[in-house]
Amino acid sequence: MSGKLPVPLVIEPERYEFNSSPAYHFEFDRRAFLKTLGGGLLVVCVMPSAGAQESGARRINRGEQLPTAVSSWLHIGENGAVTVFTGKVEMGQNIRTSLAQAVAEELRVAPESIHMVMGDTDLTPFDMGTFGSRTTPTMSPELRKAASAALDSLLDLAAKEWGTDRSKLSAGTGMIVDPASRRSIEYGQLLKGKEIAQTIPAEDPLVPATEWKVMGTSLPKVDGRDFVTGKHKFASDVKLPGMHYGKVLRPSSFEASLSSFDTKTAEAMKDVTVIHDGDFVGVAAPSVEMAERAVASIRAEWKSAPQPSSRDLFQFLKQNVEGSGGERNSPHVKGSVEEGLAKADQKSVQTYTVAYIAHTPLEPRAAVAEWKDGKLSVWTGTQRPFGVKGELAAAFHIPEDHVRVQVPDTGSAYGGKHTGECAIEAARLARSAGRPVKLVWTREEEFTWAYFRPAGVIELKGGVNKDGMITAWEFHNYNSGGSGIGTPYDIPNQHIEFHPTKSPLRQGSYRGLAATANHFARESHMDELASLVKIDPLEFRLKNLKDDRLKAVFQAAAEKFRWAERKNSPGHGFGIAGGIEKGGYVATCAEVSVDRSSGEVHIVRVATAFECGAVVNPDGLRNQIEGANVMGIGGALFEAIEFDNGRILNAKLSKYRVPRFSDVPTIDVVLVDRKDLPSAGAGETPLVGLAPAVGNAIFNASGVRLRSLPMAPNGLKA
């Protein structure tokens, strides 16, 4: 990893291809692999192209020949144990539990009998990555199909063995039952001495949500006790025999180049290896403490050019637009905004801004790398194991089949662990040291050298008639992204556009992507229009909505919050906001107290209604919604990266405030369970309603309209 940062880039899965190298699939000799697992039934998927799992297909060049690959999804052993393979990874969102529920539902087994193999590039099918709230709508159905295909095979086997009609057999709790003869046989017994590979059929009927017995219930977290006791291991807990610990010499500022250095003191330390490669300088030592002393002893001088600061950020973004947003970000135009504004009784023209913020994961980036016989194995916390595999292969100029990436559970990511810098650094150190090396970034390194949620400027024009009907809507987002940029409201005249710009800091995906910024601007402006025509904010939204699903969550949140019964008092206010993102529908109500003399802002209570189709795990979903609201408090009120001339000024938790226990309000959650609709993801969308609801409540309490995130980093000034 060079001391220089890559060119700043907004990385959003919807907008960019992460991996330009050919998709790698696990190909294997079926018999050899079955023997490794101890015989039994293996369900596989024959994939004619790279796009077999989720959205992992890259653009195919004309004339390119892609091999047919066979990937394993599910194995049932002779002991009845069920092993499931997925390229998805666990980062605290509890998909190990929800995916186990999906398999258990279709296979008719106890969830505790299922072992999930996740994020291992040698064992699991190719996967684009764990992001975008895609696991539930895409991976869950695939694993359900695999489980259903396995059950079909088991029923066929039992029918053949018993010489009976398969339609007369049933399955439950890991066994096949013949009600007529009262015979039963466990899956493992049925598979003894057999080696069967079953492919997934194109169409396989799945259990409808109205008949779910395992899905739709609040199954406790798989291995939950191990998390509580500390037994569960994360990426930073990995240890290998003979392992050393690494540290990297960091540049004095972004884009700095190394002009001179002196490593004599570090080289003189016992058992310390010093590595130098271009602008990369690092050490490997028997202990973390020794590695820290060694890297601190290196004298280095750096060259850097002047760079922007946070004081100039929004002006910089407006002045550095980089052409159009391309085909995928072309303007959405409907009717004529000019005509709509001309017809409006009231108009509003406002600018909203959003600061860079850090992901602040519980576990900073961590990786352990080991070279053996020319092949590289890396254990790291990442959302994209196959993407990191490609990065490692490219960095060291080796074939991808010489690289294996394994992802232990990761201590949160929030969109911040798409890239493989830490893995590459650990592999560099390990190759030079000739032994395994663990590298764990410090909190300050995480704050400084990871990418940030994009900052942005959003310019908005709206027109509204006295009857509350919106006549025109013009929305321009500079830099922060196009996710959630469209309006769900029925407006006859619209112009909505995303403008990519240069970014002074490295930026990338964040929980909810740009939807948080776009919802903040849109839902704040909706309140501004409602205020102009003196209509209740909820009534105003419903008046301009035709989407029944969004109407339903607004009404559910308002009912839970007792919106109609709210009573304003000095320094006390109420706000509402909502929207649609990633197939989920959310509405959030907030109550705040504001002390104008001290400037203190306190969120008193929040009610969020959320609908994402059929609910898979109610308690798990509530946890996601509550967690999203708590996380949203930081970005809404006080989180912001401060920087000057290529240096981060608040790269410590003592200087960068995240939500504390004292900041957490009472949170009520309403689950709108739609068993008639497919399940959508829930990791991101619940976040987007909190900031605008709080901002609207602050205005309601104080008459002060705050249009910048964070809204009150130092309190509300009198």
Side-chain angles (χ1 to χ4, degrees):
M1 177 87 179
S2 168
K4 295 182 180 180
L5 283 176
V7 175
L9 175 69
V10 177
I11 306 173
E12 293 192 27
E14 291 88 345
R15 295 174 45 212
Y16 294 96
E17 297 291 342
F18 280 106
N19 191 0
S20 60
S21 60
Y24 173 78
H25 299 276
F26 173 47
E27 299 186 42
F28 61 93
D29 179 293
R30 291 186 185 184
R31 288 189 176 277
F33 191 61
L34 281 168
K35 286 177 181 177
T36 300
L37 293 174
L41 170 62
L42 183 69
V43 180
V44 300
C45 179
V46 179
M47 299 185 288
S49 73
Q53 185 174 348
E54 205 188 84
S55 57
R58 65 188 178 101
R59 293 181 179 87
I60 306 302
N61 296 324
R62 190 174 297 172
E64 181 179 23
Q65 297 297 314
L66 287 174
T68 297
V70 181
S71 287
S72 57
W73 291 98
L74 183 148
H75 175 262
I76 304 174
E78 294 182 1
N79 61 355
V82 179
T83 305
V84 176
F85 303 88
T86 174
K88 297 296 181 198
V89 299
E90 179 63 64
M91 302 172 290
Q93 77 279 42
N94 203 23
I95 61 170
R96 180 181 284 108
T97 302
S98 62
L99 292 179
Q101 285 181 268
V103 172
E105 184 65 59
E106 300 294 337
L107 192 54
R108 314 292 201 276
V109 296
E112 55 267 24
S113 70
I114 297 170
H115 172 64
M116 304 289 299
V117 176
M118 307 177 75
D120 184 330
T121 61
D122 266 14
L123 297 181
T124 64
F126 172 83
D127 191 280
M128 190 69 169
T130 308
F131 52 68
S133 296
R134 302 299 298 156
T135 298
T136 296
T138 60
M139 182 50 51
S140 182
E142 289 300 318
L143 294 183
R144 290 178 67 193
K145 284 186 215 173
S148 180
L151 183 59
D152 288 343
S153 288
L154 292 165
L155 288 166
D156 287 339
L157 278 173
K160 182 177 179 180
E161 189 158 311
W162 290 337
T164 187
D165 185 350
R166 174 191 146 153
S167 64
K168 295 179 180 178
L169 304 181
S170 62
T173 59
M175 61 177 60
I176 305 296
V177 178
D178 180 359
S181 64
R182 295 186 179 180
R183 285 179 294 189
S184 65
I185 185 169
E186 294 182 350
Y187 294 168
Q189 291 178 287
L190 189 58
L191 292 167
K192 271 206 185 321
K194 298 180 177 69
E195 294 180 359
I196 304 165
Q198 167 72 43
T199 57
I200 301 175
E203 297 294 333
D204 199 355
L206 303 178
V207 178
T210 52
E211 298 176 18
W212 284 350
K213 292 181 173 60
V214 182
M215 296 178 74
T217 64
S218 295
L219 187 73
K221 185 179 179 73
V222 172
D223 298 330
R225 183 179 182 83
D226 289 349
F227 287 87
V228 174
T229 61
K231 181 180 178 182
H232 193 84
K233 301 302 180 186
F234 294 86
S236 52
D237 295 317
V238 173
K239 291 183 180 179
L240 297 180
M243 184 179 78
H244 273 195
Y245 298 84
K247 286 292 173 185
V248 175
L249 179 69
R250 299 298 178 189
S252 58
S253 64
F254 297 142
E255 299 298 332
S257 58
L258 188 62
S259 58
S260 66
F261 65 97
D262 181 351
T263 59
K264 291 178 182 176
T265 302
E267 290 170 351
M269 294 182 180
K270 185 180 179 183
D271 297 327
V272 170
T273 303
V274 178
I275 299 94
H276 171 229
D277 181 9
D279 282 348
F280 178 88
V281 178
V283 301
S287 69
V288 174
E289 294 75 17
M290 187 177 290
E292 288 174 342
R293 288 200 303 273
V295 81
S297 73
I298 299 173
R299 296 179 180 179
E301 293 185 2
W302 302 86
K303 288 182 181 179
S304 59
Q307 298 176 55
S309 72
S310 45
R311 296 185 303 275
D312 316 312
L313 173 60
F314 303 121
Q315 182 181 1
F316 180 93
L317 295 178
K318 282 299 301 293
Q319 292 175 346
N320 287 273
V321 175
E322 294 187 315
S324 68
E327 184 180 344
R328 295 182 70 180
N329 297 301
S330 57
H332 166 75
V333 179
K334 176 184 176 183
S336 168
V337 170
E338 185 177 335
E339 292 178 10
L341 288 172
K343 294 176 182 177
D345 293 319
Q346 296 282 351
K347 304 176 188 65
S348 177
V349 180
Q350 301 295 348
T351 297
Y352 304 84
T353 60
V354 182
Y356 292 108
I357 65 176
H359 298 82
T360 327
L362 291 171
E363 179 187 42
R365 279 161 175 70
V368 175
E370 180 180 37
W371 292 85
K372 189 177 291 185
D373 301 325
K375 295 186 177 181
L376 172 62
S377 294
V378 173
W379 293 259
T380 189
T382 176
Q383 295 172 247
R384 299 175 50 249
F386 286 89
V388 171
K389 175 191 180 82
E391 290 181 41
L392 288 163
F396 297 101
H397 308 289
I398 58 177
E400 286 202 16
D401 61 5
H402 282 45
V403 181
R404 180 181 186 181
V405 174
Q406 299 174 70
V407 182
D409 279 13
T410 301
S412 70
Y414 311 125
K417 294 179 179 175
H418 285 287
T419 50
E421 323 77 327
C422 186
I424 293 171
E425 291 173 343
R428 274 186 165 184
L429 297 170
R431 186 172 62 173
S432 294
R435 62 173 67 239
V437 170
K438 176 192 283 190
L439 177 66
V440 180
W441 282 17
T442 64
R443 180 60 64 185
E444 189 167 356
E445 285 176 309
E446 181 71 34
F447 265 118
T448 305
W449 299 105
Y451 54 82
F452 304 103
R453 185 185 76 178
V457 177
I458 298 171
E459 295 178 339
L460 231 164
K461 293 179 183 177
V464 62
N465 282 335
K466 292 177 182 177
D467 63 359
M469 300 306 296
I470 304 172
T471 62
W473 188 263
E474 186 170 359
F475 190 108
H476 295 270
N477 178 305
Y478 295 87
N479 188 64
S480 64
S483 295
I485 198 171
T487 176
Y489 300 102
D490 185 40
I491 304 173
N493 304 293
Q494 304 177 23
H495 182 118
I496 299 171
E497 188 171 358
F498 166 62
H499 305 271
T501 79
K502 291 181 181 178
S503 170
L505 297 186
R506 189 180 178 212
Q507 55 187 26
S509 292
Y510 186 95
R511 188 179 189 178
L513 303 171
T516 303
N518 289 324
H519 277 73
F520 170 68
R522 185 185 69 238
E523 290 297 293
S524 295
H525 206 75
M526 287 294 291
D527 251 47
E528 301 208 42
L529 293 177
S531 180
L532 285 175
V533 292
K534 296 179 172 53
I535 295 178
D536 174 83
L538 174 60
E539 179 188 345
F540 181 72
R541 285 168 170 80
L542 296 177
K543 185 184 284 284
N544 286 281
L545 267 179
K546 286 187 176 178
D547 190 312
D548 289 336
R549 293 175 72 181
L550 187 53
K551 280 185 178 180
V553 291
F554 269 123
Q555 291 164 337
E559 181 180 352
K560 184 69 175 179
F561 191 75
R562 300 186 301 280
W563 179 264
E565 303 168 27
R566 71 194 189 285
K567 293 181 180 179
N568 286 77
S569 59
H572 217 72
F574 307 87
I576 191 168
I580 308 167
E581 178 66 5
K582 302 294 192 305
Y585 291 70
V586 65
T588 296
C589 298
E591 176 184 353
V592 304
S593 64
V594 175
D595 186 332
R596 291 298 301 274
S597 60
S598 68
E600 183 180 355
V601 176
H602 179 64
I603 305 172
V604 178
R605 64 186 176 107
V606 167
T608 293
F610 187 62
E611 188 258 281
C612 56
V615 175
V616 175
N617 186 316
D619 277 356
L621 180 56
R622 287 189 191 94
N623 289 340
Q624 287 278 30
I625 295 167
E626 290 176 4
N629 276 298
V630 173
M631 185 174 182
I633 292 170
L637 292 182
F638 35 72
E639 284 189 53
I641 287 292
E642 299 169 11
F643 60 99
D644 182 57
N645 197 25
R647 291 180 172 86
I648 302 301
L649 303 179
N650 57 339
K652 299 178 180 179
L653 282 170
S654 59
K655 295 182 178 180
Y656 183 93
R657 185 180 170 192
V658 295
R660 304 164 181 159
F661 283 114
S662 58
D663 296 313
V664 178
T666 298
I667 301 175
D668 290 319
V669 171
V670 182
L671 303 182
V672 181
D673 190 2
R674 290 290 301 272
K675 295 191 182 300
D676 57 321
L677 295 172
S679 303
E684 299 179 276
T685 305
L687 181 77
V688 303
L690 191 279
V694 169
N696 294 337
I698 290 172
F699 174 76
N700 183 243
S702 65
V704 176
R705 175 63 65 180
L706 302 175
R707 300 185 181 94
S708 295
L709 292 182
M711 290 180 283
N714 301 303
L716 184 67
K717 297 302 181 184

